[in-house]
Amino acid sequence: MSKKLYPFMRNQKIQIKTNTKNYSIFIGSKLINRINKIFISQRLSSPKILIVIDNNIPSKFKSKLFKNLKSKLIKKHFFNANEKNKNQKNIDLIQNILFENRFNRDDCIIAFGGGITGDVVGYCASTYKRGIKFINIPTTLLAQVDSSIGGKTGINNSYGKNLIGSFYQPSLVVSDTDLLKSLNPREVICGYAEILKSSLLDSFQKFKYLDNNFNSIINLKKPFIEKAILNSCKLKKRIVQKDEHESNLRKILNLGHTFAHAYESCLGFSNKLNHGEAVIIGIKNALEFSYQKKLLKSKSYQIIKNHLKKIPLKKNFKQLFNERDVNKIISFMKSDKKNNSEKINIILIKDFGKIKTNWQFDKSTLRKFLSSELKK
């Protein structure tokens, strides 16, 4: 098969340059096989390494990573990655391993797992001795296209999702697409949510690529999945480099997320709804809200709505919630970290590549909207 015809089958490297750190993102196949060479090429060899490993990863991938890593001391900590374990208790457990083995800033902590593992390990790295080297090896589609890039770290508490955290850029991200072969269809759809979001933020051209190749992408076919990942990473690179700490432009990445995080919190981070599924429902809500507020034109609204219908979700908004849940959802939306007044900030869409970040609504407006969505 010609690489000229299928350029996205080659391994790719993206360079991220922020005010606090420059680092590389490697995207491609069989990267775990040469992980030590990548570390050396990036001057990231460390005397001590702690690997925090998502228990959900198949044994063959764990063995491959351990075989190819080289260091004087390698410690392993297996982490049961779910939203309920994304908490301070697990931060303490991981940091105690670092303290007991006298890790210092020249040493390294690696996240080997999905977005939850990356968020926890990133936050752990940012607060241990005010910052230790952090390498992210994301193993899910969601993490490869979104959470591993840009330095957002965080944990949950009883008030909501990701309300405790930091901005802390990794020293390296290695996205081996072979790891995606272990994902079930629900996990793939979870990652596709962020790929879709990126295309809406980017351009009609990027969205059309997804619309034309939807089945190939969700079935992880080459070169379509690599191109979808690369497009998402490039979009996030442009945004993060311009606005590392989410003071303005980076807020657009929260399209659908104010709704989504409230839904996850309302359900107690249960298996009824994973993050990507919540984001898809949140994008549907933001799309509908944008249209009702006469922000989004009918043609674009219908095109996006038709695409959303292609995505197979196990449950929809009406199946998950009822009228009694609306006030609870509103309460979690009010606690969202992006709010800075009594009103609730919602990211809305004006068109492909045109996003409105500074529109705030009172609770009664959102209550009325959510109630109407339940009646459809």
Side-chain angles (χ1 to χ4, degrees):
M1 190 176 287
S2 169
K3 287 186 177 180
K4 290 182 180 179
L5 290 175
Y6 297 97
F8 291 99
M9 295 188 74
R10 296 196 301 263
N11 292 340
Q12 303 281 334
K13 184 171 85 167
I14 297 174
Q15 197 69 26
I16 306 282
K17 297 180 180 180
T18 71
N19 290 332
T20 59
K21 191 178 289 182
N22 298 343
Y23 59 97
S24 299
I25 301 171
F26 286 81
I27 302 167
S29 178
K30 296 182 173 53
L31 296 179
I32 297 298
N33 294 353
R34 53 192 188 90
I35 193 72
N36 205 58
K37 290 181 180 177
I38 292 172
F39 283 10
I40 292 169
S41 73
Q42 300 297 298
R43 298 179 181 177
L44 289 171
S45 297
S46 297
K48 298 175 185 176
I49 294 174
L50 170 62
I51 315 171
V52 179
I53 305 138
D54 186 335
N55 273 328
N56 297 308
I57 299 171
S59 297
K60 64 178 180 179
F61 293 128
K62 296 173 190 173
S63 301
K64 193 174 288 187
L65 179 64
F66 303 154
K67 178 183 176 182
N68 288 287
L69 268 180
K70 301 287 186 294
S71 185
K72 291 179 183 176
L73 174 71
I74 296 178
K75 302 295 291 183
K76 302 167 189 173
H77 175 72
F78 292 90
F79 175 54
N80 188 19
N82 59 55
E83 289 288 352
K84 290 183 178 178
N85 286 337
K86 196 174 163 181
N87 56 33
Q88 187 61 49
K89 179 182 177 181
N90 279 294
I91 296 296
D92 293 340
L93 282 172
I94 295 167
Q95 289 188 339
N96 283 343
I97 297 171
L98 298 173
F99 284 120
E100 288 163 7
N101 290 277
R102 300 182 181 277
F103 273 61
N104 59 45
R105 291 177 179 178
D106 291 327
D107 299 318
C108 173
I109 183 167
I110 297 174
F112 188 44
I116 292 171
T117 306
D119 280 358
V120 167
V121 175
Y123 179 59
C124 183
S126 75
T127 51
Y128 179 79
K129 296 187 177 180
R130 296 196 177 96
I132 189 173
K133 276 194 289 190
F134 164 47
I135 292 172
N136 205 335
I137 306 177
T139 60
T140 64
L141 183 58
L142 176 63
Q144 290 189 4
V145 300
D146 184 58
S147 61
S148 65
I149 309 160
K152 273 191 178 181
T153 77
I155 56 175
N156 307 328
N157 67 5
S158 59
Y159 291 92
K161 183 179 170 83
N162 292 340
L163 295 181
I164 300 169
S166 61
F167 287 96
Y168 190 70
Q169 302 295 341
S171 298
L172 173 69
V173 178
V174 180
S175 292
D176 190 330
T177 54
D178 292 340
L179 298 171
L180 304 180
K181 295 172 185 175
S182 68
L183 302 181
N184 62 45
R186 190 182 181 196
E187 290 170 324
V188 174
I189 292 299
C190 183
Y192 185 79
E194 295 290 349
I195 291 175
L196 172 61
K197 180 199 76 177
S198 292
S199 77
L200 297 175
L201 304 181
D202 199 327
S203 65
F204 179 70
Q205 180 186 9
K206 295 295 193 296
F207 170 82
K208 199 63 182 172
Y209 180 80
L210 299 187
D211 202 42
N212 289 340
N213 300 290
F214 175 74
N215 288 325
S216 294
I217 292 167
I218 64 167
N219 287 305
L220 305 177
K221 289 185 178 178
K222 298 181 178 184
F224 306 101
I225 185 61
E226 288 95 339
K227 183 170 181 178
I229 292 171
L230 192 64
N231 284 343
S232 294
C233 291
K234 283 182 174 179
L235 181 277
K236 194 157 188 184
K237 167 189 169 168
R238 294 200 304 270
I239 292 170
V240 168
Q241 288 186 162
K242 290 178 180 177
D243 181 14
E244 183 177 3
H245 294 113
E246 201 174 71
S247 7
N248 189 13
L249 176 65
R250 190 169 176 173
K251 291 177 183 177
I252 69 174
L253 293 170
N254 293 304
L255 178 66
H257 282 59
T258 303
F259 290 109
H261 288 172
Y263 301 155
E264 291 177 87
S265 299
C266 188
L267 292 171
F269 305 111
S270 74
N271 193 46
K272 290 180 183 177
L273 187 71
N274 66 32
H275 176 67
E277 291 166 338
V279 168
I280 291 169
I281 295 172
I283 289 173
K284 286 181 178 180
N285 294 146
L287 182 77
E288 191 64 40
F289 203 54
S290 300
Y291 183 61
Q292 288 184 16
K293 295 299 174 185
K294 303 188 186 308
L295 194 66
L296 179 64
K297 290 181 180 178
S298 179
K299 184 178 179 181
S300 296
Y301 165 75
Q302 202 57 56
I303 290 171
I304 300 168
K305 190 174 181 179
N306 288 341
H307 184 83
L308 285 162
K309 287 177 181 176
K310 294 181 182 181
I311 303 173
L313 289 184
K314 292 182 73 174
K315 290 187 178 179
N316 59 34
F317 182 65
K318 289 194 293 184
Q319 291 171 313
L320 290 163
F321 302 104
N322 57 48
E323 191 65 41
R324 294 190 302 275
D325 296 316
V326 171
N327 282 336
K328 192 176 179 182
I329 291 169
I330 295 290
S331 177
F332 280 115
M333 290 177 78
K334 182 70 184 65
S335 297
D336 192 280
K337 57 189 174 294
K338 296 177 289 298
N339 295 321
N340 55 14
S341 72
E342 284 301 309
K343 293 187 175 182
I344 298 170
N345 190 74
I346 306 290
I347 311 300
L348 298 179
I349 179 167
K350 295 189 282 186
D351 206 345
F352 298 98
K354 295 179 181 178
I355 307 298
K356 188 172 179 64
T357 61
N358 57 351
W359 207 345
Q360 298 181 330
F361 299 90
D362 57 37
K363 291 185 282 187
S364 62
T365 301
L366 287 165
R367 190 179 293 112
K368 183 179 178 182
F369 170 74
L370 291 172
S371 295
S372 70
E373 289 295 287
L374 287 170
K375 293 170 185 173
K376 285 184 176 178

